[in-house]
Amino acid sequence: MLSFIIGRMNSSISIQLLICLLIFLPSYCRGYDDPCKSQDPRVFIKTILTVLAPNYEDWYMNLTIGVIEEEIRKNMDRIQYNRFTEDYVVSQISDHLKIGSSPFRGQLLDSSLSKEANLEYRNAELLVAVSRSIMSSYCPTYQYTRAISVQQCAEDLSKMEVSKTSLRDMCSEYFNERRCIEKDLRYRSIDGSCNNLIHSYLGKATTAYKRLLFPDYVDGIQEVSERLPNARKVSVGLVCDEESFDNKKTMAMAIWGIFIGHDLSRTAASTMGNNNTFVRCCGDNGLIHYTMNKYVKSCNPITIPNDDAFYEPKLQSCMDYVRSVPAMRSDCTFGHIDQVTVILLHCNVYY
């Protein structure tokens, strides 16, 4: 009945008045505010939900394990299908994806994930897919009136624990508090694990960055808004390419910045297909460019403005940008995507 009401909300004022008379007049007499006086249709629908489904704001608490398990199964099949699709794309444009000997190739190889870390990446990818599916299917009004905001739906999802589902082993393996037992802890580990003995995964490479604010994705989970300003324009506007002299700082500051920058630049980027093929989103061939950005979800290339002083003479119109691999959330819950981090190792400091 609720879908019937929502789907026809704007079709006729008389229907709205009829609903008010039949459903809300008795409620209003019992002390509810009169929703029929509101000019905002969201207020009207929210009041409908309050009467017909008084616990709609606790929608995530009413999901059964069976429903969640079905979403997990469905998305496991969907992800596997997507990987086969990506493998087919790779087979058709393999020449485009080849990366010759270059610093760029070296950086990709250096940032490649280990077998264990790649499994964590795939686990996080599945959780993101399941979160999107649950949110779009079960968060009330998400598809219709937005009485509950997309961000609120995502925040609600982050209260759902993965440990209560068939994916619980992801948590026990990833956040294993006993992994530091019998380890030689006289020296710091190369991946940052066990540097914190209480929470062994804190600061570990391939774990999630800590967020200061809840993200504001378009879909609440991972989709970046196309309304954001062009990243290249922002970069050029903020950083002026000019000589400037500083009489207080020494070259030590610049070199230390390079140390940090080189480690951060080795953050692992998402791959495609079952063989973890490196992704290249840009290409001179328009068809290849279209194919990559349609079928490879991690592609988010940056368009270079026509008046770009550096790239315009090179006739380059696109910058490759592949999103970092997703990471398991630190509290092992469903919800928005978190990107993987790197550890600031600075091995060369000790050489």
Side-chain angles (χ1 to χ4, degrees), residues 213-231:
L213 297 174
F214 204 86
D216 188 15
Y217 291 117
V218 173
D219 62 349
I221 302 297
Q222 68 172 0
E223 185 180 340
V224 179
S225 173
E226 295 182 356
R227 296 181 179 180
L228 293 174
N230 181 278

Side-chain angles (χ1 to χ4, degrees), residues 9-291:
M9 180 182 64
N10 296 320
S11 61
S12 172
I13 297 178
S14 60
I15 293 179
Q16 189 181 73
L17 292 174
L18 179 62
I19 294 173
C20 286
L21 289 173
L22 295 179
I23 298 179
F24 293 106
L25 188 56
S27 301
Y28 178 58
C29 293
R30 292 196 302 269
Y32 288 96
D33 290 336
D34 187 356
C36 303
K37 292 181 179 179
S38 174
Q39 300 298 316
D40 188 345
R42 290 176 298 179
V43 174
F44 177 72
I45 294 301
K46 196 167 185 177
T47 311
I48 293 178
L49 289 170
T50 302
V51 174
L52 298 183
N55 297 321
Y56 76 96
E57 291 184 338
D58 297 328
W59 64 275
Y60 62 97
M61 299 177 65
N62 299 322
L63 294 177
T64 65
I65 292 297
V67 166
I68 298 174
E69 292 297 334
E70 175 60 23
E71 292 297 327
I72 291 173
R73 184 201 62 76
K74 182 172 63 177
N75 281 278
M76 289 179 71
D77 293 341
R78 184 179 297 163
I79 287 177
Q80 191 58 45
Y81 173 79
N82 290 341
R83 287 179 190 159
F84 282 127
T85 301
E86 291 175 351
D87 284 336
Y88 175 75
V89 171
V90 170
S91 68
Q92 298 300 306
I93 58 173
S94 56
D95 289 341
H96 165 74
L97 296 174
K98 288 180 180 178
I99 303 174
S101 299
S102 65
F104 176 55
R105 177 176 175 79
Q107 181 174 331
L108 286 175
L109 292 174
D110 282 346
S111 62
S112 297
L113 295 173
S114 65
K115 185 176 180 180
E116 177 188 7
N118 187 69
L119 176 60
E120 294 168 358
Y121 154 39
R122 296 302 189 181
N123 288 342
E125 181 184 38
L126 174 60
L127 292 183
V128 170
V130 173
S131 297
R132 290 189 69 185
S133 185
I134 291 176
M135 185 166 157
S136 62
S137 299
Y138 296 101
C139 182
T141 75
Y142 174 77
Q143 294 282 3
Y144 305 104
T145 67
R146 302 294 175 93
I148 296 180
S149 68
V150 173
Q151 283 69 33
Q152 184 59 53
C153 284
E155 289 187 39
D156 290 341
L157 267 178
S158 67
K159 301 171 186 175
M160 294 173 52
E161 299 177 9
V162 177
S163 59
K164 296 181 179 179
T165 71
S166 59
L167 303 178
R168 66 181 67 88
D169 289 345
M170 293 182 182
C171 304
S172 59
E173 178 60 29
Y174 193 53
F175 303 111
N176 184 1
E177 300 293 354
R178 300 179 60 82
R179 69 165 60 220
C180 302
I181 296 177
E182 298 182 358
K183 276 195 173 184
D184 185 353
L185 300 177
R186 289 178 298 173
Y187 308 102
R188 295 201 305 169
S189 60
I190 195 168
D191 65 353
S193 62
C194 298
N195 289 339
N196 186 308
L197 298 181
I198 299 177
H199 302 289
S200 62
Y201 59 87
L202 287 181
K204 178 180 176 294
T206 72
T207 55
Y209 276 109
K210 185 69 175 178
R211 291 184 180 272
L212 298 178
L213 297 174
F214 204 86
D216 188 15
Y217 291 117
V218 173
D219 62 349
I221 302 297
Q222 68 172 0
E223 185 180 340
V224 179
S225 173
E226 295 182 356
R227 296 181 179 180
L228 293 174
N230 181 278
R232 175 62 183 170
K233 278 190 174 182
V234 172
S235 176
V236 172
L238 291 177
V239 182
C240 298
D241 187 12
E242 61 182 19
E243 291 187 7
S244 60
F245 297 92
D246 194 313
N247 296 322
K248 295 182 179 180
K249 302 180 183 68
T250 68
M251 283 300 296
M253 178 181 176
I255 294 173
W256 184 248
I258 291 173
F259 279 168
I260 295 175
H262 282 193
D263 273 357
L264 290 178
S265 67
R266 283 168 171 74
T267 301
S270 299
T271 55
M272 56 188 292
N274 289 295
N275 296 320
N276 296 317
T277 305
F278 292 136
V279 179
R280 294 186 67 186
C281 305
C282 298
D284 297 331
N285 186 309
L287 179 59
I288 291 178
H289 180 85
Y290 170 80
T291 301

Side-chain angles (χ1 to χ4, degrees), residues 308-325:
D308 191 284
F310 182 81
Y311 284 106
E312 193 275 333
K314 300 181 179 183
L315 302 179
Q316 184 173 339
S317 60
C318 175
M319 293 178 67
D320 262 314
Y321 182 78
V322 182
R323 298 184 73 172
S324 303
V325 300

